[in-house]
Amino acid sequence: MTATERITTDVAIIGGGIAGAAAALALRHMGMAVLLLERGFCGAQASGVNYGGVRRQGRPPEQIPLSQRAHAIWQRLPETIGIDGEYIRSGHLKLARSEADLASLEAYQDRVRDLGLGLEIVAGNAFRARWPWLGDRALAGSWCPDDGHANPRLVSPGFARAARKAGADIREQTAVHEAVRDGDGFRLLAGDGLEVRSRLLLNCAGAWSGRFAAAFGETVPLESAHPNMAVTEPLPRLMDINVGVEGGAIYARQVERGNFVMGGGRGITLDEDRARPGRSAIAALLRQAAELFPALRGAQVIRFWSGVEGDTPDRNPVLGPSRTTPGLIHGFGFSGAGFQIGPAVGEVLAELARDGRSTTPIEAFDIGRFAAPTADTSAA
C-alpha cells in the first residue's frame, strides 16, 4: 500500500471502544499527542451493544480495585465527557432462584466483604416487601446500593467525542492493516494509504485484539462472543433498579421512558464482524423474563440485537504492557463486562504509557498468564 498521508504521534491507539476512547481522553489531559484508529465507528461494537449495566457486584475480587476506580469516574461523568449518559446509581440486585444460588451469593459477599461494595443479603419477608413486583421464581437477592446503569449508545461514543474535543485525532472507518515495531517505535498502515509512526501503541481492538497481539508474538485464547439482547415497548414504570441473577442467565433494567432492556444467552455468529440473536436464546430469555417480572407477560418486544465481544478463558481482561515488545500496551478481553470498568481502563492505559506503571493493581491481568509453559529439561 502506497502511503498518501503520514502522521507522527506520541501514542497510536487501535480501537475506539470505551477503553480506547477513554485512554485517548486521559492521554490528552496528560499533554500527549494521540491518534486513535477505529475500523468502524467509535463505541459501535461491544461498547455500544451491551446491556448498560454499571455494576461492581459479581466481579472477581481481583477486578474490584479497577472497578472502584471506575465507580468514582462514573460519578463525574458530565464533567468528564459532557453528558450524563443516562447514568443512574439505582442499585444492583442479584437474584437467587435456588438455595444453591443463595449460598453462592453469601459466599461472594464473604469474599469481597472488605472491598467496599456494601453488599446486603435480603431474603424472606423482607425480600418480598422490598421488591413486590418480582415473581415467585426469585427467592432472595444480594443488594449493592451504589451500582447502577447507563445508556451505552450515549456513553461509549461520548468518550470519543470528548477525546476529540480535547485534541485527540480520531479516525473512524480506518482499519489498521499492519502494525510493526520500527526502530524505537511503531509503524502502522491503515485506511486508504495512511502511515502512522508512534512511540507507543495501545492495543484496544476488542474482539480483534488477538491478531495484533499475535503479530508481536503473544498468543491469547481470545474468543468472539455475542450478547443476546432485547428491548420492550414502553410500559408503566415499575422497576427502578438494575437486576441480574446468580449465574448470569438474564439481566434487566427499565429506562425512564418505560422500556425494559434485557439480555441473556448468546447470539449467533454471521461472520467476524457481525452476529444476530439466537432463536433458542430469545425464547429462553423471554420465558425467564416473564417468570421474574410478571408485568412483562404479554408485553411487545420491539427490537432484538447482538454484537461482537472478546472473551478470555478466565473472564478477566488483558491489561498491561507487552511481554515481548517495549512500548506496546494491551487493553482488551473484557468478556462482556467492560462497560463499567472502561473509564478506569483508559486511565490505567494512559498511566502505563506515561509512567510505565499504574496506581491501580493490574498484575492479575498480565498477558503472560496465557503464555505456554516452558518445558522443564532439568531431569533430562
Side-chain angles (χ1 to χ4, degrees), residues 128-165:
R128 289 288 165 215
R130 198 160 174 180
W131 298 290
W133 40 264
L134 283 167
D136 293 339
R137 188 77 169 81
L139 304 179
S142 174
W143 173 243
C144 188
D146 287 333
D147 282 355
H149 56 86
N151 187 336
R153 294 183 179 273
L154 297 177
V155 174
S156 299
F159 270 92
R161 285 193 297 270
R164 178 181 282 122
K165 185 177 181 180

Side-chain angles (χ1 to χ4, degrees), residues 10-346:
D10 292 331
V11 185
I13 302 175
I14 305 175
I18 191 170
L25 179 59
L27 285 163
R28 284 303 302 143
H29 288 163
M30 294 174 177
M32 301 180 75
V34 181
L35 173 67
L36 185 150
L37 302 166
E38 164 56 45
R39 70 202 304 262
F41 293 98
C42 290
Q45 289 292 346
S47 295
V49 303
N50 68 84
Y51 158 71
V54 184
R55 61 164 181 84
R56 297 162 297 161
Q57 175 170 216
R59 293 181 180 276
E62 59 270 23
Q63 281 192 32
I64 299 300
L66 186 65
S67 188
Q68 291 285 46
R69 181 171 183 167
H71 189 62
I73 300 171
W74 279 97
Q75 186 167 335
R76 306 189 306 269
L77 201 63
E79 62 193 82
T80 302
I81 64 172
I83 59 171
D84 67 10
E86 298 179 4
Y87 171 55
I88 302 172
R89 283 196 173 175
S90 61
H92 177 254
L93 179 65
K94 195 168 191 181
L95 300 174
R97 297 185 289 184
S98 67
E99 292 301 324
D101 284 351
L102 179 56
S104 180
L105 292 177
E106 291 170 336
Y108 180 79
Q109 181 190 42
D110 289 339
R111 290 173 67 199
V112 301
R113 188 174 300 278
D114 298 326
L115 299 180
L117 301 190
L119 300 183
E120 175 191 1
I121 300 295
V122 186
N125 292 336
F127 177 77
R128 289 288 165 215
R130 198 160 174 180
W131 298 290
W133 40 264
L134 283 167
D136 293 339
R137 188 77 169 81
L139 304 179
S142 174
W143 173 243
C144 188
D146 287 333
D147 282 355
H149 56 86
N151 187 336
R153 294 183 179 273
L154 297 177
V155 174
S156 299
F159 270 92
R161 285 193 297 270
R164 178 181 282 122
K165 185 177 181 180
D169 189 349
I170 308 290
R171 304 288 182 102
E172 295 181 305
Q173 294 186 289
T174 307
V176 175
H177 310 302
E178 182 181 63
V180 297
R181 182 75 177 170
D182 187 16
D184 293 334
F186 297 87
R187 180 173 60 86
L188 286 72
L189 300 178
D192 297 324
L194 174 62
E195 180 181 281
V196 179
R197 292 186 180 272
S198 66
R199 182 168 55 87
L200 302 168
L201 177 63
L202 306 189
N203 177 16
C204 303
W208 300 269
S209 295
R211 69 180 63 167
F212 293 108
F216 293 98
E218 296 180 294
T219 301
V220 178
L222 187 70
E223 294 186 354
S224 292
H226 313 292
N228 194 69
M229 304 297 304
V231 62
T232 72
E233 63 184 320
L235 299 168
R237 287 284 288 169
L238 170 72
M239 185 168 75
D240 59 359
I241 65 174
N242 179 9
V243 177
V245 301
E246 178 63 9
I250 180 175
Y251 34 90
R253 61 188 178 92
Q254 189 177 20
V255 302
E256 187 174 350
R257 293 175 295 278
N259 310 76
F260 274 78
V261 181
M262 52 190 171
R266 291 299 191 186
I268 296 172
T269 303
L270 297 177
D271 55 40
E272 69 168 9
D273 296 328
R274 299 178 302 146
R276 66 170 175 81
R279 181 172 297 180
S280 60
I282 288 172
L285 173 62
L286 298 183
R287 182 178 65 253
Q288 293 179 87
E291 290 176 349
L292 290 173
F293 316 113
L296 291 184
R297 294 169 185 168
Q300 298 294 313
V301 176
I302 59 176
R303 187 165 69 92
F304 295 98
W305 73 93
S306 187
V308 185
E309 300 173 338
D311 281 11
T312 64
D314 61 7
R315 309 293 292 173
N316 270 327
V318 175
L319 178 58
S322 165
R323 288 290 191 95
T324 65
T325 310
L328 172 63
I329 306 170
H330 299 295
F332 64 88
F334 300 106
S335 304
F339 185 56
Q340 190 270 342
I341 60 174
V345 169

